[in-house]
């Protein structure tokens, strides 16, 4: 389980009262950092990580992290042309820039989210639904996309009543304002209830954003690079 995460605008990740991530003595941490420096810019960066620990003996519920990722299939616009505008070429480029495993992730997400990896369909909307395997208390949710995102919604569905609750929504995606939306009171979800993430994108933003100034257009799939995209719901919960 993720101990914590940060994205622009996230500030310090302060968990709800009487909750926290469980860390065992001797545990090791893996810290993954993403930096993007445009061509010609000063190539320097710094960061600091700090932990706030609960007092010994305090009654703290163990907070956990559920990740719900949706596949990305974004075609080049009609006005864009280039060698990476085909899906196969874009996947080969992703493997070269990162790893073969990364290039296989998109097809895995298509399968997990109920779509056919053998017949991917380009769309400006990405979505995936996850069914809860046990009773869960939902405390909060964070949505994450990259620079081509327009909207993101994370929704909880109660299968018994059919009622839906918005856990997090951004009607106008702002990459620099990725804050966690905490519930005023935890949602008591039951086994079989569902959480859905839905993202929309605007590929034409590539022609307007400086991040893409030195990049050729490409068919976009799930990936960690600037030219790639994500549609991710990060849900904090307790059992």
């Amino acid at each position: 389980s993720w101990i914590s995460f940060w994205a622009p605008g996230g500030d310090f990740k302060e968990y709800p009262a009487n909750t926290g991530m469980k860390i065992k003595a001797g545990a090791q941490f893996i810290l993954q950092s993403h930096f993007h420096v445009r061509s010609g810019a000063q190539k320097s960066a710094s960061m600091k990580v700090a932990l706030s620990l609960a007092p010994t003996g305090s009654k703290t519920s163990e907070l956990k992290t559920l990740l719900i990722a949706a596949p990305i299939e974004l075609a080049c616009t009609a006005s864009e042309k280039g060698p990476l505008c085909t899906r196969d070429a874009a996947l080969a480029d992703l493997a070269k820039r990162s790893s073969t495993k990364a290039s296989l992730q998109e097809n895995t997400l298509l399968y997990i989210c109920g779509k056919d990896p053998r017949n991917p369909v380009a769309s400006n909307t990405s979505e995936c639904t996850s069914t809860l395997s046990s009773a869960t208390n939902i405390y909060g949710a964070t949505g994450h996309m990259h620079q081509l995102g327009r909207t993101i919604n994370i929704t909880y569905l109660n299968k018994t009543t059919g009622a839906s609750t918005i856990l997090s929504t951004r009607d106008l995606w702002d990459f620099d304002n990725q804050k966690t939306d905490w519930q005023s009171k935890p949602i008591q979800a039951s086994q079989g209830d569902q959480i859905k993430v839905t993202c929309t994108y605007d590929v034409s933003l590539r022609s307007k954003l400086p991040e893409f100034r030195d990049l050729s257009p490409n068919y976009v799939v799930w990936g960690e690079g600037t030219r790639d995209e994500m549609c991710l719901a990060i849900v904090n919960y307790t059992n």
Side-chain angles (χ1 to χ4, degrees):
S1 183
W2 284 12
I3 297 299
S4 191
F5 60 93
W6 181 90
D11 301 324
F12 182 75
K13 186 66 62 178
E14 185 174 3
Y15 297 125
N18 302 317
T19 67
M21 293 289 180
K22 185 177 181 179
I23 303 172
K24 295 181 180 180
Q28 294 181 321
F29 296 85
I30 297 175
L31 175 64
Q32 184 187 64
S33 302
H34 295 193
F35 293 95
H36 172 60
V37 182
R38 295 198 305 271
S39 177
Q42 183 179 354
K43 292 179 173 59
S44 65
S46 63
M47 63 182 298
K48 177 181 179 181
V49 179
L51 294 178
S52 177
L53 303 179
T56 301
S58 62
K59 295 182 179 180
T60 304
S61 298
E62 182 181 355
L63 206 60
K64 299 180 180 180
T65 305
L66 170 66
L67 303 178
I68 305 171
I72 311 293
E73 297 285 338
L74 301 176
C76 290
T77 66
S79 62
E80 292 179 324
K81 298 186 183 300
L84 299 181
C85 278
T86 67
R87 187 177 188 271
D88 287 344
L91 286 172
D93 175 68
L94 176 59
K96 182 179 179 181
R97 287 186 286 112
S98 49
S99 68
T100 302
K101 181 180 178 180
S103 67
L104 298 175
Q105 191 167 5
E106 174 64 15
N107 284 347
T108 302
L109 289 176
L110 286 169
Y111 176 78
I112 290 173
C113 297
K115 304 181 187 301
D116 187 356
R118 299 166 297 180
N119 185 34
V121 178
S123 174
N124 288 332
T125 299
S126 300
E127 61 182 22
C128 192
T129 299
S130 178
T131 301
L132 299 177
S133 59
S134 62
T136 300
N137 293 321
I138 301 173
Y139 277 80
T142 314
H144 176 65
M145 298 189 290
H146 290 174
Q147 299 287 354
L148 302 181
R150 274 301 191 187
T151 67
I152 183 168
N153 290 282
I154 305 171
T155 307
Y156 159 71
L157 176 64
N158 185 309
K159 294 288 286 186
T160 301
T161 65
S164 62
T165 302
I166 294 176
L167 302 178
S168 178
T169 184
R170 297 291 185 272
D171 293 331
L172 182 60
W173 173 249
D174 181 358
F175 184 82
D176 295 314
N177 185 23
Q178 300 186 52
K179 296 181 179 180
T180 299
D181 293 321
W182 298 106
Q183 296 294 310
S184 57
K185 183 179 180 181
I187 294 175
Q188 296 181 340
S190 301
Q191 180 181 6
D193 289 354
Q194 295 179 321
I195 300 177
K196 180 179 182 180
V197 60
T198 304
C199 304
T200 65
Y201 302 88
D202 183 357
V203 183
S204 70
L205 290 173
R206 259 198 304 237
S207 64
K208 304 171 184 177
L209 297 172
E211 286 81 357
F212 297 93
R213 186 176 302 152
D214 302 319
L215 299 177
S216 60
N218 65 296
Y219 189 105
V220 181
V221 294
W222 176 279
E224 297 182 352
T226 300
R227 66 161 65 237
D228 311 313
E229 263 300 340
M230 289 189 179
C231 177
L232 180 63
I234 307 167
V235 181
N236 289 120
Y237 70 97
T238 63
N239 292 126

